[in-house]
Amino acid sequence: MTHHKMLEIAVRELLIEKGVLTADEVRQAIERMDARGPHLGARIVAKAWVDPAFKERLLHDGTAGAEEAGVQMDQPTRLIVVENTPGTHNLVVCTLCSCYPRMVLGIPPDWYKSRAYRSRAVREPRAVLAEFGTQLPADVTVRVHDSTADMRYLVLPMRPAGSESLDETQLAGLVTRDSMIGVSVL
């Protein structure tokens, strides 16, 4: 058992013993976190694609928009949604650690937490995107958004061409985690 695991158990047991939390509250919180994943972000993106008024509200206040789409945020962290357009591509990183919009995407991928991704995404974003197979035209502006403990970013990818006949559920099935981080396009 690692030092950090022993520390987590000791703190949890102390909080329960002192009546700050109950074991059931801890279990429920873990189950809520385990249930989160990219499917929640995909649901938000699909709703924005089919509902222009929702999209406007989502871009204005990502946290309120996510909650309107039925995703409980459960944290004071602010969610900021940035939209990809034909002229702008957005890429999300956390240069300090691994701040990630877990509430809408679940557990971050290992590469997102790597020092190489965190430093290179800022210095040479186009090279990083190319390694993910994402080639952007030279006239597309790449904006890199650095997450913090207080704010997390979610990319609203462009709706794929030819998806006009799909309903919201079908559209959500097209959205990938990587497109909502900005390392890929749809």
Side-chain angles (χ1 to χ4, degrees), residues 12-22 25:
R12 176 172 27 102
E13 294 301 321
L14 184 62
L15 290 171
I16 292 169
E17 181 181 309
K18 297 292 182 184
V20 177
L21 295 170
T22 66
E25 289 171 329

Side-chain angles (χ1 to χ4, degrees), residues 46-59 156 159:
K47 184 173 178 63
W49 284 344
V50 300
D51 184 343
F54 170 75
K55 177 180 163 183
E56 186 87 16
R57 293 190 298 275
L58 179 69
L59 293 172
L156 177 60
R159 183 174 176 163

